[in-house]
Amino acid sequence: MRQARPYSGIFCGGVSARTGPHALPLARIKKIMKRSAGEAAAAADGGARMISGEAPVVFSKACELFVAELTRRAWAATLDGKRRTVHREDVATAVHNTDLFDFLVDVVTADTAGGTGGGGHDGNGAL
Amino acid sequence: MDSSFLPAGADNGSAGGANNGGGAAQQAPPIREQDRLMPIANVIRIMRRVLPAHAKISDDAKETIQECVSEYISFITGEANERCQREQRKTITAEDVLWAMSRLGFDDYVEPLSVYLHRYREFEGEARGVGLAPAPPRGDHHHHHHSVPPSMLNKSRGPGSGAVMLPHHHHHDMHASMYGGAVPPPPHHGFLMPHPQGGHYLPYPYEPTSYGGEHALASGYYGGAAYAPGNNGGSGDGSGGSASHAPPGGSGGGFDHPHTFAYK
């Protein structure tokens, strides 16, 4: 068929052949999941956790929604400051103002305490 | 090195699992910075989609969003993993992820993600039915979609569905080999949908405003990628992503745009 109408809707998140129809690379998502689940599983029952091939697919779309929502809230904070450039402080403000993002407080706080980190090198965040 | 433990500790604490801060510090192998975060080019593209054209994003904001995405994945995965432990299962499934999101307050995400997952499974079933030849997986690289020969790429570009299915299928096989074949086959293995599907087969417009933008952007970038195969041979994920997305392929985008609007 000349027009990919039936299929184009499936890939509303797709952007390039490099990542297939998903906006974020599945292998990278799987690595992050593997590290997070592996540590907890090893500590609990010593068994390695396996990850279904569909779980990173769900995360690929979920992270899009997450980044979009966090960006919108950060932009609202930017507008409150009468600015046009989104800064780290705007993201931190968005996180603190949203109960849903409570789990990110340590991330944005550690970044702020560490100042302008080079290449994402964070200070020793107290947990 | 230190920063890699912060998400793990926070994740375990918030998920209510075992407190293994010390254990994590000792057991976690050194993690490359590149593997800890999502590629910044992908994150920036998503941010641009929801911001007005005149908005600017500072570098520190980009990095912070990158950290937040990784933390989000770890946060949800920790909750899903806890459920697997209680039920004595070893594999985290897509359903576990959706359950964890609902439990942790991301209720609004569950419905669009369920639709997305449903369409993914339909596509997987059809891809297997078509009988595409899987490319041999390579352990030392994670993205080899451009390893497809130009002739194959050109041939598959004729039917639009073929062009899109090929890299996807390859990706799935790569994952299976990476994790020792532990990935279970999709339940819709035998489900085969006819090519000429109903003309009114439309996805749910859960984000009507951004959906058009996504579609147009996808068409434009895919056109560019199709015209420049193999451009990302040896570069890393981050820079590779940037390189492949920098030239959007004006002619490709122009060609695809009418279809995009016709579709809407």
Side-chain angles (χ1 to χ4, degrees):
Chain A
M1 63 177 64
R2 292 171 53 187
Q3 296 186 13
R5 289 182 62 182
Y7 304 102
S8 55
I10 300 176
F11 312 114
C12 54
V15 289
S16 75
R18 178 177 179 82
T19 59
H22 310 289
L24 296 167
L26 301 184
R28 190 74 60 88
I29 295 174
K30 195 148 194 174
K31 273 191 179 180
I32 298 173
M33 292 183 71
K34 194 70 180 178
R35 181 165 58 84
S36 171
E39 289 169 357
D45 53 22
R49 190 68 65 197
M50 292 182 292
I51 297 171
S52 160
E54 291 176 341
V57 174
V58 172
F59 263 120
S60 171
K61 191 64 180 179
C63 290
E64 279 190 58
L65 304 177
F66 171 78
V67 169
E69 182 171 2
L70 187 53
T71 301
R72 273 191 289 263
R73 293 177 183 273
W75 176 246
T78 306
L79 292 180
D80 287 346
K82 305 295 191 297
R83 288 176 279 100
R84 287 188 174 184
T85 303
V86 182
H87 287 291
R88 185 196 307 269
E89 293 75 32
D90 301 321
V91 181
T93 301
V95 166
H96 284 97
N97 289 344
T98 312
D99 292 341
L100 186 65
F101 296 149
D102 273 351
F103 67 98
L104 298 170
V105 168
D106 290 339
V107 175
V108 295
T109 303
D111 287 345
T112 305
T116 305
H121 176 68
D122 296 328
N124 298 325
L127 291 177
Chain B
M1 190 62 179
D2 292 330
S3 59
S4 66
F5 302 137
L6 179 61
D11 172 62
N12 288 325
S14 54
N19 184 8
N20 62 340
Q26 297 174 6
Q27 299 171 16
I31 301 168
R32 297 185 302 172
E33 178 72 16
Q34 178 178 315
D35 292 336
R36 193 173 60 85
L37 303 171
M38 301 306 297
I40 197 164
N42 300 63
V43 174
I44 294 170
R45 184 169 47 251
I46 299 171
M47 295 178 74
R48 293 271 176 225
R49 195 183 299 160
V50 299
L51 291 174
H54 65 273
K56 292 182 175 59
I57 312 169
S58 68
D59 286 342
D60 58 349
K62 294 171 183 173
E63 290 172 9
T64 302
I65 298 285
Q66 268 186 304
E67 299 266 354
C68 291
V69 175
S70 297
E71 181 67 17
Y72 173 71
I73 295 174
S74 295
F75 183 57
I76 300 294
T77 301
E79 186 73 10
N81 180 59
E82 183 177 290
R83 184 198 196 194
C84 285
Q85 283 178 2
R86 284 200 300 269
E87 303 181 1
Q88 300 192 7
R89 288 188 282 106
K90 277 193 169 288
T91 303
I92 297 175
T93 64
E95 280 73 24
D96 294 325
V97 171
L98 293 173
W99 175 87
M101 286 180 186
S102 174
R103 177 173 168 83
L104 296 172
F106 294 92
D107 311 60
D108 296 340
Y109 292 16
V110 174
E111 183 181 348
L113 292 176
S114 301
V115 172
Y116 190 80
L117 180 61
H118 182 67
R119 297 202 178 337
Y120 171 84
R121 286 171 170 168
E122 288 179 347
F123 176 72
E124 276 291 297
E126 182 168 356
R128 292 178 181 280
V130 173
L132 296 171
R138 309 177 196 186
D140 53 346
H141 288 289
H142 297 291
H143 299 285
H144 269 266
H145 295 290
H146 289 291
S147 65
V148 178
S151 60
M152 278 185 70
L153 194 61
N154 291 334
K155 181 164 56 178
S156 59
R157 267 189 89 251
S161 58
V164 186
M165 279 191 292
L166 194 53
H168 195 275
H169 193 66
H170 181 199
H171 212 172
H172 188 274
D173 285 349
M174 188 164 50
H175 281 301
S177 66
M178 280 173 59
Y179 292 88
V183 180
H188 302 286
H189 178 76
F191 181 52
L192 177 60
M193 297 197 307
H195 272 283
Q197 298 181 25
H200 296 288
Y201 178 79
L202 300 175
Y204 302 104
Y206 49 89
E207 284 181 340
T209 306
S210 61
Y211 176 77
E214 289 178 5
H215 197 285
L217 191 61
S219 303
Y221 278 113
Y222 186 77
Y227 292 155
N231 260 2
N232 313 309
S235 56
D237 285 343
S239 57
S242 300
S244 68
H245 299 159
S251 59
F255 177 79
D256 288 330
H257 269 296
H259 296 274
T260 303
F261 291 117
Y263 178 80
K264 289 165 64 178

